[in-house]
Amino acid sequence: MLRSLLRVALALAALAFLGYGLATNWHQTVEAVAAMSPLAVIGAFAAVLAGQFLMLVAWRRILAGLGTPVPLRVAGRIMFVGQLGKYIPGAVWAYAAMMDLGRDHGSPPRRTFATISLGLVINLGVGLSIAAATLATQEAVRQAWYLVLLVPVIVVCLHPKVLTWGLNLALRVARREPLESALPGRTVAAAVMWTALGWFVYGLHTWLLSGRWDLYLIATGAYAFAWCTGLLTFVVPAGVGVREGALVLVLGPIIGTGPALAAAIVSRVAFTLADATAAGVAFLLGRQVSSSSATYAAQNGSGSTALTPDRNLSGSPEA
C-alpha cells in the first residue's frame, strides 16, 4: 500500500513540475501549439505508429528466437494490448497482462517474461547509444554522462551466454521455469537492428513537432534521451511528466522553452493515441486467430519439445 502511494506521489510530483513549467510559459506554449502545421501533427502521429510497428517486429523476433514463433498480428495483440498496463501505477501490470495474453496464444509465461525484459534492455541500450551519438554537444545530456556507462554494460549483457544466465536468474526470482535454450546471437542482432530503425522513425515525430527542419538527428536523440530517462524512472507510470521534462531540457535551449513544451505535450498525446490505436487494431486482428489449444496442438505435433509451451522442463504442465 505504501509503495503504491509513493508511486502515485512521484507521478503527481512529476506532473506538478511539468504543470509549473507549462504555466510559466503558457503564452509561448499556446502560440507554439497553434503554429504547428496540422500536417506536421498528423505526420508525427503516423511516425509514432510506424515506429511502434518496427518495435513490434523486433519483439516478435525475440519471442520466436526463444521458441514461440507467432504471426505478427498475434504478437501485436500480446504486446500492444498488454502494454496498456504501463499506464497503471506499479511496474507489474504490463508484465502480467502480456504474460497472460501470451499464454492465451501459446507462449508460456517464462518466454513472454524473457521477451519483455530483453526488449526493454535492447531499447534502453539502443536509445542511450543514439542519444550519446547525437547529443554529445548538448549541455543537458553532458551533465547526464553517467547514463552512457550503461551502454557497454548492456552490450556485454546481450552476449548469448550472459543473456541466458541473466534471464534465467530473473525467472528464478519471478518463480518461473528457466528457458529451454539460449537466444541465438543472430536473433539478438536482428532485434537490435529493427529497434534502431524504430528509434530513427520515432525521431521523425519529434523532428516534425520541433518545427526545425535542420534538427532531425538532435530531435531523434532528444526523444531517445527522454524515453530512456522516463524508463529509468520506473516508479512513475509510463514516465509521465519525466519524459516531457527531459525532452524540454534538451530541446528548450535550441528552439525555446515554449515550443519545446508544445512539442513534448503533443508528443505525449500522439503516443497515447498511438498506444490506444495499436491496441485496438491488434485486438480486432487478434480475434481472428485460432485458440490457444489449437496453437498448443500444432506445436506439439511439430515434434519439438522446445516449442511445447504448456510443458516445463520436468514435463509437467506449466502453471
Side-chain angles (χ1 to χ4, degrees):
M1 181 64 178
L2 182 60
R3 185 176 298 177
S4 297
L5 290 175
L6 178 61
R7 291 192 180 104
V8 172
L10 289 172
L12 291 175
L15 288 174
F17 280 110
L18 180 63
Y20 175 77
L22 181 60
T24 305
N25 300 273
W26 177 256
H27 294 296
Q28 291 179 327
T29 305
V30 171
E31 290 175 0
V33 171
M36 284 184 181
S37 165
L39 289 178
V41 175
I42 294 172
F45 176 69
V48 171
L49 282 176
Q52 288 182 329
F53 175 78
L54 294 171
M55 296 300 184
L56 170 63
V57 174
W59 197 87
R60 176 175 173 255
R61 290 295 296 267
I62 298 170
L63 186 62
L66 289 173
T68 304
V70 294
L72 195 61
R73 58 183 177 176
V74 172
R77 190 179 195 195
I78 298 171
M79 176 178 164
F80 290 139
V81 176
Q83 73 175 3
L84 292 179
K86 68 186 179 183
Y87 290 100
I88 303 174
V92 301
W93 300 110
Y95 265 83
M98 294 169 77
M99 289 164 65
D100 191 56
L101 286 166
R103 187 199 299 269
D104 289 344
H105 292 285
S107 176
R110 63 179 178 275
R111 289 189 197 149
T112 309
F113 178 91
T115 301
I116 301 167
S117 301
L118 180 54
L120 287 174
V121 169
I122 290 176
N123 262 293
L124 182 61
V126 174
L128 287 175
S129 298
I130 290 175
T134 57
L135 302 176
T137 61
Q138 304 302 311
E139 184 62 28
V141 176
R142 289 170 63 184
Q143 292 179 1
W145 60 268
Y146 49 86
L147 294 178
V148 181
L149 297 178
L150 291 173
V151 175
V153 175
I154 292 172
V155 170
V156 171
C157 289
L158 290 179
H159 186 280
K161 290 185 178 179
V162 179
L163 178 63
T164 303
W165 176 84
L167 289 175
N168 283 334
L169 177 62
L171 286 167
R172 281 198 296 271
V173 172
R175 297 180 180 180
R176 295 288 176 183
E177 293 290 333
L179 297 172
E180 302 94 325
S181 58
L183 188 67
R186 63 181 179 275
T187 299
V188 176
V192 169
M193 180 195 71
W194 283 109
T195 300
L197 185 58
W199 273 116
F200 282 107
V201 173
Y202 277 156
L204 289 173
H205 104 280
T206 320
W207 176 57
L208 289 169
L209 295 178
S210 72
R212 286 277 300 273
W213 311 115
D214 58 330
L215 292 181
Y216 169 66
L217 288 178
I218 289 180
T220 300
Y223 182 72
F225 175 74
W227 184 90
C228 292
T229 303
L231 177 67
L232 292 172
T233 316
F234 55 88
V235 292
V236 178
V240 175
V242 177
R243 193 168 79 191
E244 288 73 25
L247 195 60
V248 172
L249 193 65
V250 177
L251 292 180
I254 303 172
I255 65 175
T257 303
L261 272 166
I265 292 169
V266 176
S267 170
R268 170 64 71 173
V269 173
F271 265 91
T272 302
L273 290 177
D275 283 343
T277 300
V281 172
F283 176 78
L284 293 175
L285 291 178
R287 294 181 66 181
Q288 302 174 21
V289 300
S290 59
S291 66
S292 59
S293 59
T295 304
Y296 287 148
Q299 291 184 345
N300 288 336
S302 69
S304 172
T305 57
L307 294 178
T308 305
D310 58 344
R311 298 278 171 179
N312 58 30
L313 293 180
S314 66
S316 58
E318 177 94 2

